[in-house]
Every structure is written in structure tokens, then in C-alpha cells.
Amino acid sequence: MNGATWLRAAPALFGLAALLLWEGLVRALDVPNYLVPGPLAILRAFLEDPGGLLLALLSTLSVTASALLAASSLGVLLALAMAASPWARAAIQPWAVVLQVTPIVAIAPLIIVWVGDPFTSLVVCATIVAFFPVLSNTAVGLAAVSPELLDLFRLNGASRWQILWLLRLPAALPYFLAGLRISGGLALVGAVVAEFVAGSGGFATGLAYRILEASYRLRIPRMFAALVLLCIAGIAINAALAGFSRWLLRRRGEV
Amino acid sequence: MLTLRGVGRRFPGGTEALAGVDLDLGEGDFLALLGPSGCGKSTLLRLIAGLDPPDTGSCVWAGAPPGPGQIGVVFQDPTLLPWARAAENVWLPLRLGGQRREAAWPAVQAALAQVGLADAAARYPRALSGGMRMRVAIARALVTRPRLLLLDEPFAALDEFTRHKLQEDLLALWQRARCTVVFVTHSIYEAAFLARRIVLMTPGPGRIADEIASPLAPSPQTRLDPAYAALVGETTRRMQRALEMP
Ligand SMILES: Nc1ncnc2c1ncn2[C@@H]1O[C@H](COP(=O)(O)OP(=O)(O)OP(=O)(O)O)[C@@H](O)[C@H]1O
Ligand SMILES: [Mg+2]
């Protein structure tokens, strides 16, 4: 194995070592399952009911995907409006920040009551958590155009539409993609938090509900199994979005 | 072609970048704006391009002022679109003028061939060397067959060999296309080699201090010509004198 291969294998090796250490410690110190279950106990808990947990994961993921889609569309639209008119920028910016800094747990109950439909309300909550990185990154990207290129466009009689379509939007793409990657993780977090707040009130199908349920019944290994699934989902979303950006930028000859 | 009278420009904050600039630009001129950093060369070039208005004085075109695509510009950095291939970058000015890809392609190919890059048409900017990127930028400026070509220190970042080559190419292009060229530089050698008229500028505020008419015939051989050395010496002497004057 050469250096690069080692580097690529490093996360897996480190994880494996940590799991072995974890299992070893739990056994050596005789820690009871309801305090800290070992990896094997967690795996057993997962295998007892893989269908239920995976279905719950699917439910959470569908909220996440819908929220990410909504967040990126909303973020790009608002960023475009902000780039198009200083008036829109002044009007939108403070409210975007207000939404960004408001703890979602504080407003989620209100949203759930107002929206009514459980799925939609979860998506709304996750969208609020996730849209800010796309908005702010895209806005920066739309504005970060070289002034010399703008001059070149002006000298050749470019219309506002041409400047947007041929210069600002393509220049903003890498910024948008960087924001999208952050928003992907946030959408998952937002979905789970909203599910926690919603609890059993109506839409009890997500992973967060499985975690709550397992903790009420002191089925701690099952709770951990659900947590592990969440982590894996988060890592997968991040990796998928990173791969997507790399693919897109490479296709455009930029990487 | 263009007459500047008493042109001044002051930036917000009080910097007087240009004051009392008189300049006559004739059809077919090759003019070098030569001067130390900060003497207002780029500011003057932007005024000529019509990108900024003068604060005082007047810029008057003989006949109709140039429309879209009639002024070509090349900046110090190539400023290509990184997401577009070389040929697409060259297509850009025509595209902005409403020409579709198929209609524009012969002109794009010709412009790339003019700068010796016919083979690199499909490459992205990041796969080109600095000199090649600059050539693409020049092809992009030439593709609309502009009446006026404005260059702002285009070769300053290149190595000596590439710079010489591109200078010779530019001279040949000018002789062939017979457009009007304004070339900003802070290199006396470059100005003496390229220009028919060397305009000396001094800072604080930017003024035109002197002008030298080149006695050389435009040719790649002039670098070894004793008359070229004499012109460099003369330009150096008059630049020094201009800078010493209060
Ligand atoms: N946007 C601006 N705002 C304020 N001052 C400016 C601006 N642009 C240029 N200046 C000032 O105007 C003066 C002339 O600038 P200019 O860029 O024309 O110089 P230059 O001769 O092109 O210099 P260089 O050879 O370094 O490019 C400088 O003193 C500069 O600080
Ligand atoms: Mg300059």
C-alpha cells in the first residue's frame, strides 16, 4: 500500500480501531447495555428490526430531500432577487438572518400547528434550518464577478439578462454548490429536530420518533442503532453532494 | 478619430487621477501610454473606452461613437470565463451581439488562428499556459474586428520570451488589421518596440508630459537595430526629464 491508499483507508481503519476499543472496554468494565451498549449489541438491535428502522430512515430522508430541494430553490430565488435590486436586498437580508438565528425548536410547535399537514410542517421546519447557507453563498457568488469581465460585457452591449445568464449565474455556481453541501447536513438536522418536536403528535414515522420511543422503553441499543443510521445518512448526504459538485465543476473544466 | 481636451478625473476620496489631458487619436495609430505606476494610464484607457465619463473636459469622436463590439479590450489579467472553452471565450463578444454559435464559428476559428491557437480551441482556460490565456484574450478582443483596440499592460505578467513573441504578433496583427491601438505599459522597451507614438505620462495628478514619434519601421527585427537602442535612450532621457519637472 502506498501513502495515498493509506490516506484513503485512514477513516475506515480509525473507525474500526475505535469500534474494537469500544467493544473491548464495554466488556472489560462490564458496562450494562442500558448505559452504554457495545457495537455488537447495537448491531444485534438493528438486526432485530431492520425493516422498521430503515422505513423510519426513509421517512426522515424524504423530509430531508424535500427540504433541501425547497431550501435550494428558495435560497437561489432570494439571492437572485437580492442581486437584482438593492431594494430587495435591504428588504430580505435582515429577515433571512432573523430566520437563521431563531432556534427551530422554539418555532417548530407553532409551525406544526399552523401548517397542519404533518409532512409539510416537517419540511417547512427543515427548510428554515437549511436555506441560509444556499442563500448567502449564492448571493456572494452572484456579486463576486470580476469587474473587468463586467466591463467587457458592457463594452459589447450586453443586456442585464445576458449578464445574469452568461456571467453571474455561472460564476455563482461553485459558491452555490458549497452552500448546498452545508445545507444538506442542516436539512437532515432540521428534519430530525422537527420530528423530535412533533413527537408522537400525528406523524410518528421518522427516525427521531424511533429514538424517542426506544428511550421511553429503555431499549438503549435500539436507540443507538437509530442514531448510527442517522450518522450514516448524514455522511452519505455530504459525500453525495460533494461528489455531485465535483462532477459538475469537472464537467465545466474548473477542477 | 477621438479628441480629448482638458480631460480630468477625480475619484471619490479626493485622488486626482487625471488633469488637463489633451490627446488626439488618429485612425490607424499605434499609441503607447507610458508612465510609472499610478500615473493614471488605466484611468485614461477607461475614459477612452467610454467605461467611465470624464469629470471635466471633453471626449469627442469624429463621426459616430463606436457601438457595441467596435472597441476591443485586453486587460492585464486575461479574465477568461473559467467555465468556457477557449473557443467559447472568443465567441463571447459575438454571442453578446446576438450571433449564434454556428454563425460565429468561422470568425472564432479565424481569430484563434490569428493568435496561433487553432489547436487549443477546445481547451479550458485552466489547461492553458499564461501566455496562451493572454492569446485567447487577444483573440476575444479581435473577433469583432474592432475599430479600436485597447490593451492595459497585457504582457506584464509574462516571461521575456513569451512577451517578445506576443509583441511581435501584436505588431503583425496591427499591420494586417490596420485598426487603432492604444497600449498601456510601464516598460520603455515595450513602448519603443511597439508604438508609432510614445505618450509619456507623469503622476500627481496624471498628465501627458511629452510625446515621441517613433522613427522605426514596425518589424520584428528592430530589437537589434541601433535606432531602437537610440529610441530607448531618448525615451528614457525624456521620461526622466518629465518626472523631474515640478
Ligand atoms: N476606483 C478608484 N478609486 C479611487 N482611486 C483610484 C481608483 N482607481 C484608481 N485610483 C487612483 O488613481 C490614480 C491612477 O490610477 P491608475 O490605475 O489609472 O494608474 P496606472 O497608471 O494604471 O497605474 P499602474 O501602472 O500601477 O496600473 C492612482 O493614484 C490610484 O490610486
Ligand atoms: Mg493600470
Side-chain angles (χ1 to χ4, degrees), chain A residues 65-95:
Chain A
S66 314
L68 187 57
L69 201 69
S72 40
S73 326
L74 188 71
V76 169
L77 282 180
L78 290 180
L80 279 176
M82 281 164 59
S85 109
W87 188 88
R89 172 178 296 272
I92 293 170
Q93 206 152 28
W95 297 110

PDB file of all heavy atoms in Angstrom, chain A residues 65-95:
ATOM      1  N   ALA A  65     -34.862  15.404   1.869  1.00  0.00           N
ATOM      2  CA  ALA A  65     -34.703  15.704   0.439  1.00  0.00           C
ATOM      3  C   ALA A  65     -35.660  16.806   0.016  1.00  0.00           C
ATOM      4  O   ALA A  65     -35.261  17.741  -0.700  1.00  0.00           O
ATOM      5  CB  ALA A  65     -34.930  14.436  -0.378  1.00  0.00           C
ATOM      6  N   SER A  66     -36.926  16.719   0.467  1.00  0.00           N
ATOM      7  CA  SER A  66     -37.887  17.763   0.099  1.00  0.00           C
ATOM      8  C   SER A  66     -37.429  19.105   0.628  1.00  0.00           C
ATOM      9  O   SER A  66     -37.499  20.127  -0.066  1.00  0.00           O
ATOM     10  CB  SER A  66     -39.268  17.450   0.659  1.00  0.00           C
ATOM     11  OG  SER A  66     -39.599  16.115   0.419  1.00  0.00           O
ATOM     12  N   ALA A  67     -36.920  19.098   1.870  1.00  0.00           N
ATOM     13  CA  ALA A  67     -36.491  20.360   2.474  1.00  0.00           C
ATOM     14  C   ALA A  67     -35.279  20.923   1.732  1.00  0.00           C
ATOM     15  O   ALA A  67     -35.189  22.133   1.505  1.00  0.00           O
ATOM     16  CB  ALA A  67     -36.150  20.160   3.939  1.00  0.00           C
ATOM     17  N   LEU A  68     -34.360  20.037   1.340  1.00  0.00           N
ATOM     18  CA  LEU A  68     -33.169  20.516   0.636  1.00  0.00           C
ATOM     19  C   LEU A  68     -33.560  21.132  -0.702  1.00  0.00           C
ATOM     20  O   LEU A  68     -33.050  22.186  -1.111  1.00  0.00           O
ATOM     21  CB  LEU A  68     -32.183  19.366   0.435  1.00  0.00           C
ATOM     22  CG  LEU A  68     -30.832  19.764  -0.135  1.00  0.00           C
ATOM     23  CD1 LEU A  68     -30.163  20.800   0.743  1.00  0.00           C
ATOM     24  CD2 LEU A  68     -29.926  18.539  -0.273  1.00  0.00           C
ATOM     25  N   LEU A  69     -34.488  20.469  -1.379  1.00  0.00           N
ATOM     26  CA  LEU A  69     -34.969  20.997  -2.665  1.00  0.00           C
ATOM     27  C   LEU A  69     -35.613  22.373  -2.465  1.00  0.00           C
ATOM     28  O   LEU A  69     -35.305  23.341  -3.170  1.00  0.00           O
ATOM     29  CB  LEU A  69     -35.985  20.023  -3.256  1.00  0.00           C
ATOM     30  CG  LEU A  69     -36.201  20.145  -4.766  1.00  0.00           C
ATOM     31  CD1 LEU A  69     -34.948  19.688  -5.494  1.00  0.00           C
ATOM     32  CD2 LEU A  69     -37.406  19.328  -5.195  1.00  0.00           C
ATOM     33  N   ALA A  70     -36.499  22.431  -1.452  1.00  0.00           N
ATOM     34  CA  ALA A  70     -37.175  23.709  -1.194  1.00  0.00           C
ATOM     35  C   ALA A  70     -36.166  24.768  -0.775  1.00  0.00           C
ATOM     36  O   ALA A  70     -36.219  25.915  -1.243  1.00  0.00           O
ATOM     37  CB  ALA A  70     -38.221  23.518  -0.097  1.00  0.00           C
ATOM     38  N   ALA A  71     -35.200  24.376   0.086  1.00  0.00           N
ATOM     39  CA  ALA A  71     -34.229  25.350   0.593  1.00  0.00           C
ATOM     40  C   ALA A  71     -33.363  25.886  -0.537  1.00  0.00           C
ATOM     41  O   ALA A  71     -33.086  27.088  -0.605  1.00  0.00           O
ATOM     42  CB  ALA A  71     -33.352  24.712   1.659  1.00  0.00           C
ATOM     43  N   SER A  72     -32.937  24.991  -1.465  1.00  0.00           N
ATOM     44  CA  SER A  72     -32.051  25.499  -2.509  1.00  0.00           C
ATOM     45  C   SER A  72     -32.824  26.367  -3.495  1.00  0.00           C
ATOM     46  O   SER A  72     -32.307  27.392  -3.945  1.00  0.00           O
ATOM     47  CB  SER A  72     -31.296  24.373  -3.201  1.00  0.00           C
ATOM     48  OG  SER A  72     -32.114  23.268  -3.394  1.00  0.00           O
ATOM     49  N   SER A  73     -34.066  25.985  -3.819  1.00  0.00           N
ATOM     50  CA  SER A  73     -34.838  26.850  -4.726  1.00  0.00           C
ATOM     51  C   SER A  73     -35.091  28.201  -4.086  1.00  0.00           C
ATOM     52  O   SER A  73     -34.863  29.253  -4.698  1.00  0.00           O
ATOM     53  CB  SER A  73     -36.181  26.215  -5.085  1.00  0.00           C
ATOM     54  OG  SER A  73     -36.082  24.837  -5.162  1.00  0.00           O
ATOM     55  N   LEU A  74     -35.532  28.166  -2.831  1.00  0.00           N
ATOM     56  CA  LEU A  74     -35.828  29.413  -2.123  1.00  0.00           C
ATOM     57  C   LEU A  74     -34.566  30.263  -2.002  1.00  0.00           C
ATOM     58  O   LEU A  74     -34.583  31.472  -2.281  1.00  0.00           O
ATOM     59  CB  LEU A  74     -36.369  29.070  -0.729  1.00  0.00           C
ATOM     60  CG  LEU A  74     -36.901  30.236   0.082  1.00  0.00           C
ATOM     61  CD1 LEU A  74     -38.205  30.701  -0.521  1.00  0.00           C
ATOM     62  CD2 LEU A  74     -37.106  29.814   1.542  1.00  0.00           C
ATOM     63  N   GLY A  75     -33.447  29.607  -1.627  1.00  0.00           N
ATOM     64  CA  GLY A  75     -32.195  30.345  -1.457  1.00  0.00           C
ATOM     65  C   GLY A  75     -31.766  31.011  -2.749  1.00  0.00           C
ATOM     66  O   GLY A  75     -31.401  32.190  -2.766  1.00  0.00           O
ATOM     67  N   VAL A  76     -31.818  30.261  -3.861  1.00  0.00           N
ATOM     68  CA  VAL A  76     -31.384  30.830  -5.142  1.00  0.00           C
ATOM     69  C   VAL A  76     -32.324  31.966  -5.568  1.00  0.00           C
ATOM     70  O   VAL A  76     -31.863  33.028  -6.005  1.00  0.00           O
ATOM     71  CB  VAL A  76     -31.326  29.732  -6.230  1.00  0.00           C
ATOM     72  CG1 VAL A  76     -31.133  30.351  -7.605  1.00  0.00           C
ATOM     73  CG2 VAL A  76     -30.190  28.768  -5.935  1.00  0.00           C
ATOM     74  N   LEU A  77     -33.630  31.756  -5.414  1.00  0.00           N
ATOM     75  CA  LEU A  77     -34.579  32.798  -5.819  1.00  0.00           C
ATOM     76  C   LEU A  77     -34.360  34.083  -5.031  1.00  0.00           C
ATOM     77  O   LEU A  77     -34.302  35.179  -5.594  1.00  0.00           O
ATOM     78  CB  LEU A  77     -36.019  32.311  -5.638  1.00  0.00           C
ATOM     79  CG  LEU A  77     -36.514  31.360  -6.727  1.00  0.00           C
ATOM     80  CD1 LEU A  77     -37.938  30.927  -6.458  1.00  0.00           C
ATOM     81  CD2 LEU A  77     -36.398  32.031  -8.092  1.00  0.00           C
ATOM     82  N   LEU A  78     -34.213  33.930  -3.704  1.00  0.00           N
ATOM     83  CA  LEU A  78     -33.994  35.126  -2.880  1.00  0.00           C
ATOM     84  C   LEU A  78     -32.662  35.793  -3.229  1.00  0.00           C
ATOM     85  O   LEU A  78     -32.566  37.020  -3.301  1.00  0.00           O
ATOM     86  CB  LEU A  78     -34.035  34.768  -1.395  1.00  0.00           C
ATOM     87  CG  LEU A  78     -35.413  34.379  -0.854  1.00  0.00           C
ATOM     88  CD1 LEU A  78     -35.339  34.039   0.625  1.00  0.00           C
ATOM     89  CD2 LEU A  78     -36.400  35.517  -1.073  1.00  0.00           C
ATOM     90  N   ALA A  79     -31.624  34.973  -3.482  1.00  0.00           N
ATOM     91  CA  ALA A  79     -30.320  35.546  -3.838  1.00  0.00           C
ATOM     92  C   ALA A  79     -30.425  36.313  -5.159  1.00  0.00           C
ATOM     93  O   ALA A  79     -29.843  37.387  -5.312  1.00  0.00           O
ATOM     94  CB  ALA A  79     -29.268  34.447  -3.947  1.00  0.00           C
ATOM     95  N   LEU A  80     -31.171  35.770  -6.105  1.00  0.00           N
ATOM     96  CA  LEU A  80     -31.365  36.463  -7.389  1.00  0.00           C
ATOM     97  C   LEU A  80     -32.076  37.789  -7.180  1.00  0.00           C
ATOM     98  O   LEU A  80     -31.679  38.819  -7.739  1.00  0.00           O
ATOM     99  CB  LEU A  80     -32.177  35.592  -8.343  1.00  0.00           C
ATOM    100  CG  LEU A  80     -31.401  34.508  -9.071  1.00  0.00           C
ATOM    101  CD1 LEU A  80     -32.331  33.651  -9.906  1.00  0.00           C
ATOM    102  CD2 LEU A  80     -30.336  35.139  -9.951  1.00  0.00           C
ATOM    103  N   ALA A  81     -33.118  37.752  -6.348  1.00  0.00           N
ATOM    104  CA  ALA A  81     -33.841  38.995  -6.076  1.00  0.00           C
ATOM    105  C   ALA A  81     -32.909  40.022  -5.433  1.00  0.00           C
ATOM    106  O   ALA A  81     -32.907  41.203  -5.799  1.00  0.00           O
ATOM    107  CB  ALA A  81     -35.031  38.712  -5.162  1.00  0.00           C
ATOM    108  N   MET A  82     -32.059  39.530  -4.504  1.00  0.00           N
ATOM    109  CA  MET A  82     -31.153  40.446  -3.822  1.00  0.00           C
ATOM    110  C   MET A  82     -30.119  41.009  -4.785  1.00  0.00           C
ATOM    111  O   MET A  82     -29.701  42.169  -4.659  1.00  0.00           O
ATOM    112  CB  MET A  82     -30.465  39.739  -2.654  1.00  0.00           C
ATOM    113  CG  MET A  82     -31.361  39.631  -1.434  1.00  0.00           C
ATOM    114  SD  MET A  82     -30.780  38.441  -0.209  1.00  0.00           S
ATOM    115  CE  MET A  82     -29.181  39.077   0.213  1.00  0.00           C
ATOM    116  N   ALA A  83     -29.681  40.187  -5.754  1.00  0.00           N
ATOM    117  CA  ALA A  83     -28.702  40.673  -6.729  1.00  0.00           C
ATOM    118  C   ALA A  83     -29.346  41.657  -7.703  1.00  0.00           C
ATOM    119  O   ALA A  83     -28.695  42.563  -8.216  1.00  0.00           O
ATOM    120  CB  ALA A  83     -28.090  39.503  -7.490  1.00  0.00           C
ATOM    121  N   ALA A  84     -30.641  41.452  -7.953  1.00  0.00           N
ATOM    122  CA  ALA A  84     -31.295  42.265  -8.976  1.00  0.00           C
ATOM    123  C   ALA A  84     -31.603  43.664  -8.471  1.00  0.00           C
ATOM    124  O   ALA A  84     -31.504  44.634  -9.227  1.00  0.00           O
ATOM    125  CB  ALA A  84     -32.577  41.587  -9.445  1.00  0.00           C
ATOM    126  N   SER A  85     -31.952  43.786  -7.192  1.00  0.00           N
ATOM    127  CA  SER A  85     -32.341  45.115  -6.742  1.00  0.00           C
ATOM    128  C   SER A  85     -31.872  45.375  -5.324  1.00  0.00           C
ATOM    129  O   SER A  85     -32.046  44.524  -4.436  1.00  0.00           O
ATOM    130  CB  SER A  85     -33.863  45.267  -6.837  1.00  0.00           C
ATOM    131  OG  SER A  85     -34.446  45.287  -5.563  1.00  0.00           O
ATOM    132  N   PRO A  86     -31.232  46.512  -5.101  1.00  0.00           N
ATOM    133  CA  PRO A  86     -30.774  46.866  -3.763  1.00  0.00           C
ATOM    134  C   PRO A  86     -31.949  46.946  -2.793  1.00  0.00           C
ATOM    135  O   PRO A  86     -31.813  46.658  -1.598  1.00  0.00           O
ATOM    136  CB  PRO A  86     -30.127  48.240  -3.936  1.00  0.00           C
ATOM    137  CG  PRO A  86     -30.125  48.537  -5.381  1.00  0.00           C
ATOM    138  CD  PRO A  86     -30.965  47.535  -6.100  1.00  0.00           C
ATOM    139  N   TRP A  87     -33.110  47.308  -3.341  1.00  0.00           N
ATOM    140  CA  TRP A  87     -34.293  47.400  -2.511  1.00  0.00           C
ATOM    141  C   TRP A  87     -34.643  46.021  -1.950  1.00  0.00           C
ATOM    142  O   TRP A  87     -34.881  45.848  -0.747  1.00  0.00           O
ATOM    143  CB  TRP A  87     -35.444  47.949  -3.356  1.00  0.00           C
ATOM    144  CG  TRP A  87     -36.652  48.251  -2.540  1.00  0.00           C
ATOM    145  CD1 TRP A  87     -36.917  49.414  -1.903  1.00  0.00           C
ATOM    146  CD2 TRP A  87     -37.738  47.364  -2.269  1.00  0.00           C
ATOM    147  NE1 TRP A  87     -38.095  49.320  -1.242  1.00  0.00           N
ATOM    148  CE2 TRP A  87     -38.631  48.069  -1.449  1.00  0.00           C
ATOM    149  CE3 TRP A  87     -38.038  46.057  -2.631  1.00  0.00           C
ATOM    150  CZ2 TRP A  87     -39.815  47.511  -0.992  1.00  0.00           C
ATOM    151  CZ3 TRP A  87     -39.213  45.484  -2.170  1.00  0.00           C
ATOM    152  CH2 TRP A  87     -40.098  46.218  -1.356  1.00  0.00           C
ATOM    153  N   ALA A  88     -34.630  45.004  -2.841  1.00  0.00           N
ATOM    154  CA  ALA A  88     -34.925  43.648  -2.387  1.00  0.00           C
ATOM    155  C   ALA A  88     -33.876  43.181  -1.397  1.00  0.00           C
ATOM    156  O   ALA A  88     -34.184  42.521  -0.398  1.00  0.00           O
ATOM    157  CB  ALA A  88     -34.982  42.697  -3.584  1.00  0.00           C
ATOM    158  N   ARG A  89     -32.612  43.542  -1.648  1.00  0.00           N
ATOM    159  CA  ARG A  89     -31.547  43.132  -0.723  1.00  0.00           C
ATOM    160  C   ARG A  89     -31.814  43.688   0.672  1.00  0.00           C
ATOM    161  O   ARG A  89     -31.797  42.972   1.662  1.00  0.00           O
ATOM    162  CB  ARG A  89     -30.201  43.643  -1.242  1.00  0.00           C
ATOM    163  CG  ARG A  89     -29.053  43.437  -0.268  1.00  0.00           C
ATOM    164  CD  ARG A  89     -27.743  43.920  -0.877  1.00  0.00           C
ATOM    165  NE  ARG A  89     -27.402  43.126  -2.049  1.00  0.00           N
ATOM    166  CZ  ARG A  89     -26.700  41.990  -1.993  1.00  0.00           C
ATOM    167  NH1 ARG A  89     -26.248  41.569  -0.839  1.00  0.00           N
ATOM    168  NH2 ARG A  89     -26.442  41.311  -3.074  1.00  0.00           N
ATOM    169  N   ALA A  90     -32.109  44.991   0.716  1.00  0.00           N
ATOM    170  CA  ALA A  90     -32.357  45.631   2.005  1.00  0.00           C
ATOM    171  C   ALA A  90     -33.561  45.001   2.689  1.00  0.00           C
ATOM    172  O   ALA A  90     -33.585  44.832   3.911  1.00  0.00           O
ATOM    173  CB  ALA A  90     -32.566  47.126   1.812  1.00  0.00           C
ATOM    174  N   ALA A  91     -34.570  44.634   1.881  1.00  0.00           N
ATOM    175  CA  ALA A  91     -35.792  44.097   2.476  1.00  0.00           C
ATOM    176  C   ALA A  91     -35.586  42.678   2.982  1.00  0.00           C
ATOM    177  O   ALA A  91     -36.103  42.304   4.035  1.00  0.00           O
ATOM    178  CB  ALA A  91     -36.925  44.139   1.448  1.00  0.00           C
ATOM    179  N   ILE A  92     -34.830  41.873   2.247  1.00  0.00           N
ATOM    180  CA  ILE A  92     -34.757  40.443   2.551  1.00  0.00           C
ATOM    181  C   ILE A  92     -33.720  40.120   3.618  1.00  0.00           C
ATOM    182  O   ILE A  92     -33.964  39.339   4.532  1.00  0.00           O
ATOM    183  CB  ILE A  92     -34.438  39.647   1.261  1.00  0.00           C
ATOM    184  CG1 ILE A  92     -35.610  39.740   0.289  1.00  0.00           C
ATOM    185  CG2 ILE A  92     -34.150  38.194   1.587  1.00  0.00           C
ATOM    186  CD1 ILE A  92     -35.279  39.205  -1.086  1.00  0.00           C
ATOM    187  N   GLN A  93     -32.540  40.777   3.507  1.00  0.00           N
ATOM    188  CA  GLN A  93     -31.410  40.346   4.306  1.00  0.00           C
ATOM    189  C   GLN A  93     -31.708  40.225   5.813  1.00  0.00           C
ATOM    190  O   GLN A  93     -31.453  39.171   6.396  1.00  0.00           O
ATOM    191  CB  GLN A  93     -30.233  41.277   4.078  1.00  0.00           C
ATOM    192  CG  GLN A  93     -28.905  40.591   4.332  1.00  0.00           C
ATOM    193  CD  GLN A  93     -27.801  41.215   3.505  1.00  0.00           C
ATOM    194  OE1 GLN A  93     -27.853  42.390   3.172  1.00  0.00           O
ATOM    195  NE2 GLN A  93     -26.803  40.442   3.174  1.00  0.00           N
ATOM    196  N   PRO A  94     -32.254  41.269   6.442  1.00  0.00           N
ATOM    197  CA  PRO A  94     -32.464  41.142   7.898  1.00  0.00           C
ATOM    198  C   PRO A  94     -33.395  39.991   8.257  1.00  0.00           C
ATOM    199  O   PRO A  94     -33.159  39.298   9.255  1.00  0.00           O
ATOM    200  CB  PRO A  94     -33.070  42.493   8.292  1.00  0.00           C
ATOM    201  CG  PRO A  94     -33.434  43.176   7.041  1.00  0.00           C
ATOM    202  CD  PRO A  94     -32.629  42.594   5.946  1.00  0.00           C
ATOM    203  N   TRP A  95     -34.416  39.755   7.433  1.00  0.00           N
ATOM    204  CA  TRP A  95     -35.366  38.691   7.767  1.00  0.00           C
ATOM    205  C   TRP A  95     -34.762  37.322   7.578  1.00  0.00           C
ATOM    206  O   TRP A  95     -35.068  36.390   8.325  1.00  0.00           O
ATOM    207  CB  TRP A  95     -36.642  38.853   6.929  1.00  0.00           C
ATOM    208  CG  TRP A  95     -37.305  40.142   7.259  1.00  0.00           C
ATOM    209  CD1 TRP A  95     -37.408  41.244   6.462  1.00  0.00           C
ATOM    210  CD2 TRP A  95     -37.900  40.507   8.504  1.00  0.00           C
ATOM    211  NE1 TRP A  95     -38.034  42.262   7.130  1.00  0.00           N
ATOM    212  CE2 TRP A  95     -38.351  41.835   8.388  1.00  0.00           C
ATOM    213  CE3 TRP A  95     -38.099  39.842   9.718  1.00  0.00           C
ATOM    214  CZ2 TRP A  95     -38.983  42.509   9.418  1.00  0.00           C
ATOM    215  CZ3 TRP A  95     -38.728  40.514  10.743  1.00  0.00           C
ATOM    216  CH2 TRP A  95     -39.161  41.829  10.594  1.00  0.00           C
TER     217      TRP A  95
END
